[in-house]
Amino acid sequence: MENGDPKGRTRKEILEEISTSRARKKEDETLKREKSAGTEQVTQSKRAEFKAKHGLLIAFLTLILFIHIIGIYLFTSGFLLTRLVLEPKSQCGVPPVPLHNSYIPGSQDGCWHPRTFKKAVVLVIDALRYDFTVPFVAGSYDETPHQYHNGIRVLYETAVSDPQNAFLLPFIADPPTTTLQRLKGLTTGTLPTFIDAGSSFAGTAIDEDNLIAQLLTAGRNVVHLGDDTWHSLFPGYFDANLTKAYDSFNVWDLHTVDNGVIEHLMPLLHPSNSSKWDVLFGHFLGVDHAGHRYGPDHSAMKGKLEQMDAVLHDAISLLDEETLLVVMGDHGMDGKGDHGGESDDEVEAALWMYSKAGVFGRGSAESIKPPPNAKVRPVNQIDLVPTLALLLGLPVPFNNLGAPIEEAFIGSAGKAWENLATVQRLTAAQVHGYQREYALARKPDPLALSGPTRLWESATHSWNQTVLNSKLPAQQWQDLARGFSDYQQSNLQMCKDLWARFDLVSMGQGVTVLIWPLAVLIVYIAIEGITVELNAVLFLRGVVGLLAGAAFGFASAFVVPQLGLLRNTLFAAAVVCCGSLTFTLLAVRQRFSSVIPSSLWSVTCVLAALLLSIGFASNSFTIWEDEILLHLLATFGVLSCAGCFRLRSRSDRNQALIQCSIFLVCIRLASLARLCREEQMPYCRSTYYASVNSSTSAPWQLAIPYLIATALPSMVKYYYTNTLSWHGSAPFWIGIAFRGTLLLIAVFWTLDAADNGDWFNIDSDLLKTIRTYLAQLVLAIAAGAGGATFGWQAPHIAVQSIDPQSTQPSEQPAPSKAHSSSKHTKSNGNPTSPTPTSNLTQPTAPRMLIHGASNLYGTHFTLLTHSVLLLPLLLLQKPMGQATLALTSIAILALFEIIHLLQRQPASSPAASSTLSTVLAPTILALLGHFAFFKTGHQATLASIQWDAAFVPLKTLNYLWGPLFMILNTFAGQIFTAASVPLCVLWRRPYRFASSHASEGDVSVLGPATKTTASNDETELAEQRHDPRTLARHALLTDVSKAYMVHILVYATINLATTLWAAHLRRHLMLYRVFMPRWLLGLAGMVFAEIVGIVVGIYGVGWSVGSVAGVFGW
């Protein structure tokens, strides 16, 4: 025992042993570092690989979206052609026919006809419906007067008391009844085309001949006050020093524009300022905005009409005998105060003309009083153009199709038939000259021209035979006037029938491009196995084909120029791209499964889409689409209930029946929110607003947002606790932040109702400011706090350690990266000391008990859709719309539970289970999206657009955010369901852990990971990159992509069907009323669903997968 060593080792031996121990320790540390570096390398490689495949999936789906947009553009450019605009302009010294009574053209007294007035004041009261201007008479429809009755009295009273000074007539607008299109018709005398409705708030300058241009050419000083839409149509036409324009789109503001017009109008009408202007245009917006905000049957409407009555009284008192006063509505409004369509209430405006000179008259004693309703003696709005032009001594604009208004030219005694016949002949000759030029440019069917041509020849022959011979009696002048009027009416009807010539080639190109990606999606869905590895090749070849096709199309356009450079380039690009995608998919045809549906559920999905598509050929089917969708969804609920009885487990059957009941109850309750379109009356009763004549919510509906704030977070919690996932950030975000934000939304709509109803003696501007800040706070919480919570949250799990000597969990939960430790409870859905049963083997090493492991992906992603996205959608909806969206969100969660339980049916193969999650569920979501569209106060009509949504979080119009908020309001159903599509796959999708584990329901027990020897061998690294978890992630991306494609396939099928039917029925009487609006809804719904599905849905999947992998490893 040298040196006291108990083992008798020498000092040298001890030092050698220490040295050896240190070397071994150093070697072990080196091996650990090498192993750690290798593991990190593999992790980074797996993460990069997943991100690449995820990004390529997004790129490929974006390519499909781009092809859809090309197809829509090509079809639209051929289907919604703008009318042909001819460049010639009428000249003051060049009348269309030799003038009567040797009148010299181009005289100081008038170009083609002696002028009646030197000056004119034209006041447009936006949305002035004819029945607003005549006294209320009790009848079968209305027994008591409404708020809009008897508010503006001066028009009717002056027309009755002084018929030689004033007349009042129904003023019929041509649809679409939006302000910009009406102003075009009122200044050019032409008919609008439907495509112009898209530019209703961003109009371009009018190039064709028009009244304002003729005034400017004649040297008249023109002043404009009010709606700034005029300045987009006539830039630089108005006196810059006297003109005052105001923003026209803030429908919440009833007074700013009107008060501004009044402030500047009255001083200009004063005799001391009469020399500063020749023609003054004023455009009031308060009546229109009161209709949009409250509906016509509201005290605010009565107040605005009474204000207009007072303004007109003041204006009359300031006029002289050389000034004409014209008051008119550019369109009417429907029962809710909206417009844009072609219902009677929307097209029936009012026209009133007044002069102190007493030059107006009536052709018969029966027509002395104004018509009692708009069905009696109406005039077209385009008739104002020749009437004003000739009264002011101007040439009639070249493209005009209107006729002079009889009351303005027949004289105060009602016997000036010669004067009327003269102006009728002048206008008819101008129309005939336009029609001649139009025929040379467009070469219409000679048969269509034959009727008007015969009438023109007959009227001209009668004029030449009678007028040149002798002085005529009044009756012959009356017959001559009627002959030219008949020609004008016949020509106008011909133009309405044949106005737009459809470009069938462009339409065919569009249909071809829309069909091909449909086939590509079907083939992609039919490929078995993991398909994400195909996306790189598909995207690369698709882009190459797109560019090659574009180059070919560009070059061929110079060979065949009539096809058009842009259209030919886009068509060739889309066709070659789709062809490239098709050949790429055919290369893996050995992996194709049958595209013919073989199961009950797949047959149900195909039938639902096909029945809807076929039904759109019927206008009655299209009109009642909301009810048909309810029946389709109810059919799915009933079939699901029947499928529940095939489940073996009694608890599963009971749970499935509960979820089916929740689904059916939700859609049934949502169906109670109805906004009826005119064609559904009287078999439909609107419940969305307070009444059929209102655009505000009923007082009792204000309870809905508070009920949602109470119940919706609790229902979301119920589905989280069902999978033991009420952990992590879920209790705080859903239980506190989400609920609190819903309460803010409820307060917002309460303040809005208080402002609308004048409940408190508080300044309206102050209430608007408070509401604006509240709305902006809600959006900030949703986008800021909600987005951050989703982006950085860990999986919603609770982790506990298990004693190696016992199957019972330890008393204290072990700490977890998922910040998810919680005591067991008995009432909140958390585990009440769950114990692994006998199928979980007795542990011999430390293990972890994970609660909520069965729904890691689903609960993580649900936070994005059912709280972060849902909050702004709810904010922008009125209370009944909020109820629909809340019920839809609950129905979606019930749907996912139903799908999960149906997958447990006996003899359910993996393929059948996949069909449920990737085919059935996305199809139901598409139907739910359309259903929610109708139940949030919308219809396939322009009049149902809720313009005020643009101002919920804004005080003034913002042309970036305003349209976005309107899209979120209008397409909330499609947006929400499209974003929820990934949940069809993610909800209750099992997660594959790296360590050994066993599962019992929603609980997983994890053991230690299998030890592996570190190696730098490239083959081993490659194998690690394709371990089961990597393959599981690739399978997840594959299933998500197929679910998304099925969802878009439903939208694309509906869009294709509405496109085909609109093209086939392009001459149908109901085209502009039914088929075209439904086609527009189909294409808009498809595009927005695709964009949201990619940006929110597919992109959000990457965050969810990355979040879970960040905790449990790649």
Side-chain angles (χ1 to χ4, degrees), residues 959-975:
Y959 284 97
L960 173 62
W961 295 108
L964 175 61
F965 294 143
M966 287 180 57
I967 290 171
L968 292 176
N969 168 274
T970 305
F971 298 98
Q974 291 94 328
I975 288 171

Side-chain angles (χ1 to χ4, degrees), residues 224-231 243-250 253 255-265 283 285 289 959:
H224 169 260
L225 306 172
D227 185 349
D228 62 353
T229 306
W230 290 77
H231 291 263
T243 293
K244 302 293 179 183
Y246 298 87
D247 178 23
S248 62
F249 195 42
N250 189 353
D253 186 351
H255 306 295
T256 299
V257 177
D258 289 1
N259 292 342
V261 174
I262 296 169
E263 177 187 355
H264 295 92
L265 174 65
H283 195 142
L285 290 173
H289 288 185
Y959 284 97

Side-chain angles (χ1 to χ4, degrees), residues 56 217 236 292 337 402 428 470 605 657 771 883 1076:
L56 286 168
T217 302
H292 282 302
S470 60
C605 295
L657 288 172
R771 295 202 310 271
M1076 186 176 291

Side-chain angles (χ1 to χ4, degrees), residues 563-585:
L563 294 178
L565 180 63
L566 179 60
R567 280 168 34 191
N568 203 52
T569 301
L570 291 175
F571 177 68
V575 167
V576 176
C577 176
C578 289
S580 178
L581 294 176
T582 302
F583 285 115
T584 302
L585 291 172

